[in-house]
Short mmCIF file of all heavy atoms in Angstrom, two decimals:
data_model
loop_
_atom_site.label_atom_id
_atom_site.label_comp_id
_atom_site.label_asym_id
_atom_site.label_seq_id
_atom_site.Cartn_x
_atom_site.Cartn_y
_atom_site.Cartn_z
N ASP E 1 3.95 -5.41 2.98
CA ASP E 1 3.77 -6.50 3.92
C ASP E 1 3.04 -7.63 3.20
O ASP E 1 1.90 -7.45 2.76
CB ASP E 1 2.97 -6.00 5.13
CG ASP E 1 2.83 -7.06 6.20
OD1 ASP E 1 3.60 -8.04 6.17
OD2 ASP E 1 1.95 -6.91 7.06
N THR E 2 3.67 -8.79 3.08
CA THR E 2 3.09 -9.89 2.30
C THR E 2 2.09 -10.72 3.08
O THR E 2 1.52 -11.66 2.53
CB THR E 2 4.20 -10.80 1.77
OG1 THR E 2 4.93 -11.32 2.88
CG2 THR E 2 5.11 -10.07 0.81
N THR E 3 1.84 -10.40 4.35
CA THR E 3 0.89 -11.20 5.12
C THR E 3 -0.53 -11.05 4.60
O THR E 3 -1.35 -11.96 4.73
CB THR E 3 0.93 -10.81 6.61
OG1 THR E 3 0.64 -9.41 6.74
CG2 THR E 3 2.29 -11.12 7.21
N GLY E 4 -0.85 -9.93 3.98
CA GLY E 4 -2.19 -9.71 3.45
C GLY E 4 -2.51 -10.59 2.26
O GLY E 4 -3.68 -10.88 2.00
N ILE E 5 -1.51 -11.02 1.53
CA ILE E 5 -1.76 -11.86 0.36
C ILE E 5 -1.25 -13.28 0.57
O ILE E 5 -1.11 -14.05 -0.37
CB ILE E 5 -1.10 -11.26 -0.90
CG1 ILE E 5 0.39 -11.04 -0.69
CG2 ILE E 5 -1.79 -9.98 -1.31
CD1 ILE E 5 1.12 -10.63 -1.92
N ALA E 6 -1.00 -13.66 1.83
CA ALA E 6 -0.47 -14.99 2.14
C ALA E 6 -1.44 -16.09 1.72
O ALA E 6 -1.01 -17.18 1.33
CB ALA E 6 -0.14 -15.11 3.62
N GLY E 7 -2.73 -15.85 1.78
CA GLY E 7 -3.71 -16.87 1.42
C GLY E 7 -3.76 -17.15 -0.07
O GLY E 7 -4.25 -18.20 -0.49
N LEU E 8 -3.27 -16.28 -0.89
CA LEU E 8 -3.33 -16.46 -2.33
C LEU E 8 -2.12 -17.21 -2.90
O LEU E 8 -2.12 -17.58 -4.06
CB LEU E 8 -3.44 -15.10 -3.03
CG LEU E 8 -4.68 -14.28 -2.73
CD1 LEU E 8 -4.55 -12.92 -3.37
CD2 LEU E 8 -5.92 -14.98 -3.23
N LYS E 9 -1.10 -17.42 -2.10
CA LYS E 9 0.14 -18.01 -2.61
C LYS E 9 -0.02 -19.42 -3.18
O LYS E 9 0.35 -19.66 -4.32
CB LYS E 9 1.21 -18.02 -1.52
CG LYS E 9 1.75 -16.66 -1.22
CD LYS E 9 2.78 -16.76 -0.14
CE LYS E 9 3.15 -15.38 0.34
NZ LYS E 9 4.02 -15.43 1.50
N PRO E 10 -0.57 -20.39 -2.45
CA PRO E 10 -0.55 -21.75 -2.98
C PRO E 10 -1.65 -22.07 -3.97
O PRO E 10 -1.56 -23.05 -4.69
CB PRO E 10 -0.71 -22.62 -1.71
CG PRO E 10 -1.46 -21.75 -0.77
CD PRO E 10 -1.06 -20.33 -1.08
N GLY E 11 -2.67 -21.28 -4.05
CA GLY E 11 -3.84 -21.63 -4.85
C GLY E 11 -3.67 -21.39 -6.34
O GLY E 11 -2.59 -21.04 -6.83
N PRO E 12 -4.75 -21.60 -7.07
CA PRO E 12 -4.70 -21.44 -8.53
C PRO E 12 -4.58 -19.98 -8.97
O PRO E 12 -4.33 -19.72 -10.14
CB PRO E 12 -6.04 -22.03 -8.98
CG PRO E 12 -6.94 -21.86 -7.81
CD PRO E 12 -6.07 -22.01 -6.60
N LEU E 13 -4.74 -19.06 -8.04
CA LEU E 13 -4.67 -17.64 -8.40
C LEU E 13 -3.26 -17.07 -8.25
O LEU E 13 -3.07 -15.87 -8.40
CB LEU E 13 -5.62 -16.83 -7.52
CG LEU E 13 -7.11 -17.16 -7.67
CD1 LEU E 13 -7.92 -16.35 -6.70
CD2 LEU E 13 -7.56 -16.90 -9.09
N LYS E 14 -2.29 -17.93 -7.98
CA LYS E 14 -0.92 -17.43 -7.75
C LYS E 14 -0.37 -16.70 -8.97
O LYS E 14 0.15 -15.59 -8.86
CB LYS E 14 0.02 -18.55 -7.37
CG LYS E 14 1.42 -18.03 -7.10
CD LYS E 14 2.37 -19.12 -6.73
CE LYS E 14 3.68 -18.45 -6.37
NZ LYS E 14 4.85 -18.92 -6.85
N SER E 15 -0.51 -17.29 -10.14
CA SER E 15 0.05 -16.64 -11.34
C SER E 15 -0.70 -15.34 -11.65
O SER E 15 -0.09 -14.36 -12.07
CB SER E 15 0.00 -17.58 -12.54
OG SER E 15 -1.34 -17.89 -12.86
N ALA E 16 -1.99 -15.32 -11.42
CA ALA E 16 -2.76 -14.09 -11.65
C ALA E 16 -2.36 -13.02 -10.65
O ALA E 16 -2.26 -11.83 -11.00
CB ALA E 16 -4.25 -14.38 -11.54
N THR E 17 -2.09 -13.42 -9.40
CA THR E 17 -1.65 -12.47 -8.38
C THR E 17 -0.30 -11.88 -8.74
O THR E 17 -0.08 -10.67 -8.62
CB THR E 17 -1.57 -13.17 -7.01
OG1 THR E 17 -2.83 -13.76 -6.71
CG2 THR E 17 -1.20 -12.19 -5.93
N VAL E 18 0.61 -12.71 -9.19
CA VAL E 18 1.94 -12.24 -9.59
C VAL E 18 1.82 -11.25 -10.74
O VAL E 18 2.46 -10.19 -10.73
CB VAL E 18 2.86 -13.43 -9.95
CG1 VAL E 18 4.15 -12.95 -10.60
CG2 VAL E 18 3.16 -14.25 -8.72
N ARG E 19 1.01 -11.57 -11.75
CA ARG E 19 0.83 -10.65 -12.88
C ARG E 19 0.22 -9.33 -12.43
O ARG E 19 0.64 -8.26 -12.87
CB ARG E 19 -0.05 -11.30 -13.94
CG ARG E 19 0.68 -12.29 -14.81
CD ARG E 19 -0.10 -12.65 -16.07
NE ARG E 19 -1.51 -12.91 -15.88
CZ ARG E 19 -2.05 -14.09 -15.59
NH1 ARG E 19 -1.26 -15.14 -15.47
NH2 ARG E 19 -3.35 -14.23 -15.43
N ALA E 20 -0.78 -9.41 -11.54
CA ALA E 20 -1.43 -8.18 -11.06
C ALA E 20 -0.46 -7.33 -10.26
O ALA E 20 -0.45 -6.10 -10.39
CB ALA E 20 -2.64 -8.54 -10.22
N LEU E 21 0.37 -7.97 -9.44
CA LEU E 21 1.36 -7.22 -8.65
C LEU E 21 2.40 -6.57 -9.55
O LEU E 21 2.80 -5.42 -9.34
CB LEU E 21 2.04 -8.14 -7.63
CG LEU E 21 1.17 -8.59 -6.46
CD1 LEU E 21 1.91 -9.61 -5.63
CD2 LEU E 21 0.77 -7.39 -5.61
N ARG E 22 2.86 -7.31 -10.56
CA ARG E 22 3.84 -6.74 -11.50
C ARG E 22 3.26 -5.52 -12.21
O ARG E 22 3.92 -4.50 -12.36
CB ARG E 22 4.25 -7.77 -12.54
CG ARG E 22 5.26 -8.75 -12.08
CD ARG E 22 5.63 -9.65 -13.27
NE ARG E 22 6.57 -10.65 -12.87
CZ ARG E 22 7.88 -10.44 -12.77
NH1 ARG E 22 8.37 -9.28 -13.05
NH2 ARG E 22 8.68 -11.41 -12.39
N LYS E 23 2.03 -5.65 -12.68
CA LYS E 23 1.40 -4.55 -13.41
C LYS E 23 1.17 -3.34 -12.51
O LYS E 23 1.42 -2.20 -12.90
CB LYS E 23 0.08 -5.02 -14.02
CG LYS E 23 -0.58 -3.97 -14.86
CD LYS E 23 -1.70 -4.53 -15.67
CE LYS E 23 -2.37 -3.38 -16.36
NZ LYS E 23 -2.61 -3.53 -17.71
N ALA E 24 0.71 -3.59 -11.28
CA ALA E 24 0.46 -2.49 -10.34
C ALA E 24 1.77 -1.78 -9.99
O ALA E 24 1.84 -0.55 -9.92
CB ALA E 24 -0.22 -3.01 -9.08
N GLY E 25 2.83 -2.57 -9.76
CA GLY E 25 4.12 -1.97 -9.43
C GLY E 25 4.70 -1.17 -10.59
O GLY E 25 5.24 -0.07 -10.40
N ALA E 26 4.57 -1.69 -11.81
CA ALA E 26 5.08 -0.98 -12.99
C ALA E 26 4.31 0.33 -13.20
O ALA E 26 4.91 1.36 -13.55
CB ALA E 26 4.98 -1.86 -14.22
N THR E 27 3.00 0.28 -12.98
CA THR E 27 2.20 1.50 -13.13
C THR E 27 2.59 2.53 -12.08
O THR E 27 2.72 3.73 -12.38
CB THR E 27 0.70 1.16 -12.99
OG1 THR E 27 0.36 0.21 -14.00
CG2 THR E 27 -0.15 2.39 -13.15
N ALA E 28 2.82 2.09 -10.84
CA ALA E 28 3.23 3.01 -9.78
C ALA E 28 4.58 3.64 -10.10
O ALA E 28 4.77 4.85 -9.91
CB ALA E 28 3.28 2.28 -8.44
#
């Protein structure tokens, strides 16, 4: 559910969030 991370989308942390999600998904 992407509503939990909706606040992080437009800000400066977007690229860091995408990298963290990719890494977490790959590890899982």
